[in-house]
Amino acid sequence: MPDSAYAEIVVLCEDRQSEVFARQFLKIYFGLNNHQLRFKAALPGVGSGERFVLNEYAAEVKLLRQKRNMKRIALVILIDGDVLEVEDRMKQLDAVLRESGTEVRQGEDAVAIFIPKRNIETWIAYLRGQQVDEQKT
């Protein structure tokens, strides 16, 4: 998981709501600041946020691998699980890499993947201390 020693954290996410969650989570729990964070989110009304993340994922992994020898960089992916199981979403992300001719994630890749089962609002509710059920909420 990224920490404050990283020079740049790229966050690839579905929408503005996910961006707000990731920004606060990374600041509060990992001490990151705005200068370390760069967000890429789907524009509102311009197609599926899920599709945006899947389309951009391979390019961001390639960029991470190119830059990691020059500076400490990490990639955070935030994509809803929706109707998929978390394991199936992970397989889908691996397939996206393979299809682009990119190796799947390796141990030295600083990539963190967040997959809320239904939607990010469930995680926000949980962080606020509310009881949640990701199967229903």
Side-chain angles (χ1 to χ4, degrees):
M1 179 44 101
D3 62 34
S4 58
Y6 280 88
E8 180 180 7
I9 309 294
V10 177
V11 180
L12 180 59
C13 55
E14 290 189 17
D15 53 28
R16 178 80 172 127
Q17 183 80 357
S18 297
E19 179 182 331
V20 169
F21 170 82
R23 182 180 308 279
Q24 292 307 311
F25 182 83
L26 293 169
K27 287 170 120 177
I28 292 168
Y29 291 98
F30 294 95
L32 299 171
N33 63 57
N34 285 332
H35 298 293
Q36 293 169 284
L37 301 172
R38 182 170 61 88
F39 288 87
K40 288 187 73 176
L43 296 173
V46 186
S48 161
E50 170 193 16
R51 181 59 31 211
F52 173 80
V53 171
L54 294 172
N55 287 344
E56 297 292 320
Y57 179 56
E60 289 299 327
V61 170
K62 287 178 187 176
L63 191 59
L64 168 87
R65 290 174 177 163
Q66 290 170 356
K67 288 183 171 184
R68 72 177 168 207
N69 291 329
M70 295 178 279
K71 65 179 176 178
R72 288 188 49 111
I73 183 172
L75 176 62
V76 173
I77 306 299
L78 212 118
I79 185 169
D80 291 345
D82 295 325
V83 296
L84 297 177
E85 294 297 324
V86 172
E87 182 179 300
D88 294 330
R89 182 64 85 193
M90 293 296 290
K91 288 177 183 176
Q92 184 183 36
L93 289 166
D94 286 346
V96 165
L97 292 177
R98 280 191 211 94
E99 289 167 10
S100 74
T102 305
E103 275 189 58
V104 295
R105 289 180 311 124
Q106 306 296 313
E108 65 271 8
D109 292 328
V111 178
I113 300 176
F114 291 81
I115 305 174
K117 179 63 182 126
R118 300 278 289 179
N119 54 54
I120 197 64
E121 289 81 6
T122 305
W123 284 21
I124 293 169
Y126 176 78
L127 289 175
R128 289 181 176 158
Q130 298 173 15
Q131 292 280 8
V132 296
D133 179 347
E134 282 196 311
Q135 300 301 321
K136 296 178 184 176
T137 308

